[in-house]
C-alpha cells in the first residue's frame, strides 16, 4: 500500500505480481478500485455555458448518455488544469445535467477553480454543482469485462451489446444478498486501452457489488492495483496528470488537439483559445505552432524513467521523459515525453540518458499496444 492523494492505495495484490496482473488484464478482466477519483454532478440551464467556457468541449453537440475526454483550461495560457471525462446525462433540455470525473491529486485546485468559474458567471447563472462525496467508483477492464459485468445484471437491464465505447446507462446491479442496488451509472471505457466499464455506485453498495463480481467470476476476474494500472495506461498511450500533463502544457503540445472539435475551432470562446487555436496551425499556415510535442519512445537497454533527458546524436538536449517502464505486453522498454518540434515524427532516432549513459531510442506512434474499444458500428475496433 502507498499513500496517494490522501488515500492508501494498493500497488498490487498478493495473488499476482504487477507484470502478471498487467497480462491478466490484457487477456481476461481486472477490477480496479478508482473511488479516489473525484466525481461531480453539474446541472441547470447555465451548465453548458460553464463547460464551454472552462473546456474546449462542444457540449451542445454531446448527445445524452455520451462521454468525451476533455481538459479544464487556464484562461489566456490554455494550460491544462486537469484532464477530465465529461458525460451528458439523460435529462430535460431545459435543465441539462452532466457527470464529470477529475483526478484525486488535483482535487483542491480543481474545486477552487470550479468555484471561481461558477462565481464568474454572476448571480443570474442557474446551475448546481455537487461533489459526489463517498460515491464508489470501480473499473472493470479487459476483453472479458462484458461477460463479467453480465453476471450481475438483472433480467430488466439493458443489453451491453448496444452500449458502446463513450456511452453510458443507469441500471441496478445485483448485490451479494441477491437483491438489487439502486441504479448505478455504467460507462463503457477506461484507462487501459481494453474494453471495459467504469461503474459509479452509491457508497453503501460499493463493497457488495465488488464482492459479487469477484464471487461470480473466480476464473476470469482479479483485483488489480496502481502498478498494473500505470503500465497498462502507458501502453495505451494515455497521459497521467502531474507527469505527462501539467498547468504549463496545452492540449496541442500534449497531442490532444483532437479534443478541440471543429465547431470550437471556429467559434473559440473557451479559456486559452487565444493561445490554443493559433497552435493548431504551423507558422507556414499562419499559426504559431508549438515548440514541443508529446511523443512515444521505444528505448534500448535499461528502461528510461521520468526525468530522463532526451538528446540528439550530438548530445543536444531535446526534451525529457515524463513516463517510462518496461512493457509487459511488448517485452521492450517504452516511454513518453516531450521533444522539440521537428524531432517528433515517427521513426526519428534520438538518445535517452539513463543513469548517465546514452541509450538509443526511436520515436513511435502511440498507442504502443492497439486499443480494443467496442465502438458503435460493429465489432472491437482499435483506438
Amino acid at each position: 500500500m502507498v499513500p496517494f492523494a490522501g488515500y492508501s492505495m494498493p500497488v498490487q495484490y498478493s495473488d499476482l505480481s504487477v507484470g502478471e496482473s498487467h497480462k491478466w488484464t490484457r487477456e481476461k478482466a481486472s477490477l480496479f478500485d478508482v473511488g479516489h477519483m473525484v466525481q461531480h454532478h453539474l446541472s441547470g440551464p447555465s451548465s453548458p455555458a460553464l463547460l464551454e467556457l472552462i473546456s474546449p468541449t462542444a457540449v451542445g453537440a454531446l448527445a445524452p448518455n455520451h462521454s468525451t475526454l476533455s481538459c479544464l483550461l487556464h484562461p489566456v495560457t490554455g494550460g491544462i488544469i486537469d484532464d477530465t471525462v465529461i458525460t451528458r446525462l439523460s435529462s430535460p433540455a431545459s435543465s441539462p445535467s452532466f457527470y464529470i470525473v477529475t483526478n484525486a491529486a488535483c482535487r483542491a485546485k480543481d474545486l477552487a477553480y470550479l468555484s471561481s468559474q461558477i462565481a464568474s458567471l454572476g448571480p443570474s447563472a442557474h446551475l448546481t454543482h455537487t461533489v459526489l462525496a463517498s460515491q464508489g467508483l470501480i473499473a472493470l477492464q479487459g476483453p472479458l469485462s462484458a461477460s463479467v459485468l453480465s453476471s450481475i445484471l438483472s433480467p430488466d437491464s439493458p443489453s451491453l451489446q448496444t452500449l458502446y465505447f463513450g456511452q453510458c446507462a443507469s441500471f441496478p446491479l445485483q448485490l451479494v444478498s441477491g437483491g438489487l442496488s439502486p441504479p448505478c451509472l455504467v460507462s463503457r471505457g477506461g484507462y487501459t486501452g481494453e474494453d471495459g466499464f467504469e461503474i459509479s455506485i452509491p457508497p453503501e453498495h460499493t463493497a457488495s457489488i465488488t464482492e459479487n463480481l469477484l464471487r461470480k467470476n473466480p476464473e476470469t476476474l482479479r483485483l488489480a492495483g496502481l502498478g498494473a494500472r500505470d503500465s497498462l495506461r502507458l501502453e495505451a498511450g494515455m497521459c497521467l496528470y502531474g507527469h505527462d500533463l501539467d498547468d504549463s502544457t496545452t492540449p496541442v503540445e500534449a497531442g490532444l488537439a483532437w479534443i478541440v472539435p471543429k465547431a470550437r475551432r471556429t467559434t473559440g470562446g473557451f479559456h486559452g483559445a487565444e493561445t490554443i487555436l493559433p497552435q493548431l496551425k504551423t507558422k507556414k499556415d499562419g499559426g504559431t505552432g508549438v515548440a514541443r510535442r508529446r511523443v512515444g519512445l521505444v528505448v534500448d537497454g535499461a528502461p528510461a524513467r521520468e526525468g530522463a533527458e532526451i538528446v540528439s546524436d550530438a548530445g543536444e538536449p531535446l526534451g525529457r521523459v515524463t513516463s517510462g517502464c518496461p512493457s509487459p505486453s511488448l517485452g521492450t522498454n517504452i516511454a513518453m515525453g516531450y521533444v522539440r518540434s521537428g524531432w517528433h515524427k515517427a521513426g526519428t532516432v534520438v538518445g535517452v540518458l539513463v543513469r548517465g549513459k546514452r541509450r538509443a531510442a526511436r520515436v513511435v506512434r502511440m498507442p504502443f499496444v492497439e486499443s480494443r474499444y467496442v465502438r458503435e458500428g460493429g465489432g472491437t475496433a482499435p483506438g
Side-chain angles (χ1 to χ4, degrees):
M1 303 292 283
V2 296
F4 181 79
Y7 292 81
S8 183
M9 302 286 293
V11 173
Q12 66 185 89
Y13 290 85
S14 59
D15 58 334
L16 296 173
S17 69
V18 171
E20 289 169 339
S21 181
H22 177 112
K23 291 179 180 179
W24 185 282
T25 310
R26 291 273 183 246
E27 296 168 4
K28 296 181 181 181
S30 293
L31 190 151
F32 299 83
D33 179 359
V34 290
H36 61 292
M37 304 291 283
V38 186
Q39 301 175 73
H40 311 250
H41 185 254
L42 185 70
S43 63
S46 300
S47 53
L50 174 69
L51 291 173
E52 292 203 340
L53 175 66
I54 64 178
S55 82
T57 301
V59 169
L62 194 59
N65 293 325
H66 283 66
S67 305
T68 185
L69 178 69
S70 191
C71 292
L72 305 180
L73 300 172
H74 281 289
V76 185
T77 67
I80 298 171
I81 294 170
D82 200 1
D83 56 326
T84 181
V85 175
I86 299 173
T87 301
R88 186 167 196 148
L89 301 173
S90 182
S91 57
S94 60
S95 186
S97 180
F98 299 89
Y99 169 73
I100 302 162
V101 179
T102 56
N103 284 297
C106 299
R107 180 186 181 99
K109 74 168 181 174
D110 286 351
L111 294 181
Y113 172 78
L114 289 169
S115 178
S116 69
Q117 294 302 309
I118 290 169
S120 75
L121 296 180
S124 61
H126 297 286
L127 59 81
T128 300
H129 172 232
T130 304
V131 175
L132 304 178
S134 303
Q135 183 86 348
L137 187 64
I138 60 174
L140 283 176
Q141 296 287 292
L144 300 185
S145 293
S147 172
V148 168
L149 182 56
S150 294
S151 70
I152 64 165
L153 299 185
S154 75
D156 298 327
S157 298
S159 171
L160 298 181
Q161 293 182 351
T162 55
L163 183 67
Y164 299 107
F165 176 78
Q167 298 179 0
C168 67
S170 292
F171 46 84
L173 296 173
Q174 188 182 82
L175 305 170
V176 170
S177 65
L180 292 176
S181 72
C184 300
L185 183 66
V186 178
S187 306
R188 197 156 199 167
Y191 195 46
T192 65
E194 295 292 337
D195 183 27
F197 303 87
E198 295 193 342
I199 308 168
S200 179
I201 309 170
E204 65 272 22
H205 298 296
T206 306
S208 182
I209 287 172
T210 299
E211 184 179 350
N212 206 23
L213 284 165
L214 292 165
R215 281 188 180 186
K216 286 179 174 286
N217 300 277
E219 302 302 319
T220 54
L221 182 65
R222 292 285 187 276
L223 292 166
L226 291 176
R229 184 170 165 84
D230 191 52
S231 57
L232 288 160
R233 69 91 190 169
L234 183 52
E235 287 186 348
M238 295 184 178
C239 298
L240 177 61
Y241 193 89
H243 300 262
D244 314 302
L245 304 174
D246 60 27
D247 294 284
S248 68
T249 304
T250 70
V252 183
E253 292 173 316
L256 299 176
W258 60 269
I259 72 170
V260 187
K262 185 177 180 180
R264 308 284 340 248
R265 297 182 185 203
T266 302
T267 61
F270 55 90
H271 284 333
E274 61 267 54
T275 299
I276 293 169
L277 295 183
Q279 289 181 341
L280 293 168
K281 295 181 180 181
T282 64
K283 291 181 180 179
K284 182 178 68 175
D285 294 326
T288 64
V290 291
R292 60 175 185 151
R293 295 176 182 270
R294 181 172 65 95
V295 297
L297 297 167
V298 172
V299 184
D300 294 342
R305 303 294 185 177
E306 180 179 3
E309 190 172 18
I310 304 168
V311 297
S312 69
D313 284 343
E316 180 185 12
L318 301 175
R320 290 194 177 273
V321 169
T322 53
S323 291
C325 72
S327 165
S329 301
L330 302 175
T332 189
N333 298 315
I334 60 173
M336 67 171 70
Y338 286 81
V339 297
R340 190 188 311 164
S341 288
W343 292 83
H344 65 283
K345 295 181 181 178
T348 301
V349 175
V350 296
V352 179
L353 300 183
V354 180
R355 295 192 291 274
K357 183 176 181 179
R358 186 185 185 280
R359 302 287 184 176
R362 68 182 185 279
V363 176
V364 298
R365 291 185 176 88
M366 293 183 285
F368 297 95
V369 174
E370 186 175 73
S371 300
R372 297 192 288 181
Y373 305 125
V374 177
R375 298 188 185 274
E376 191 168 10
T380 302

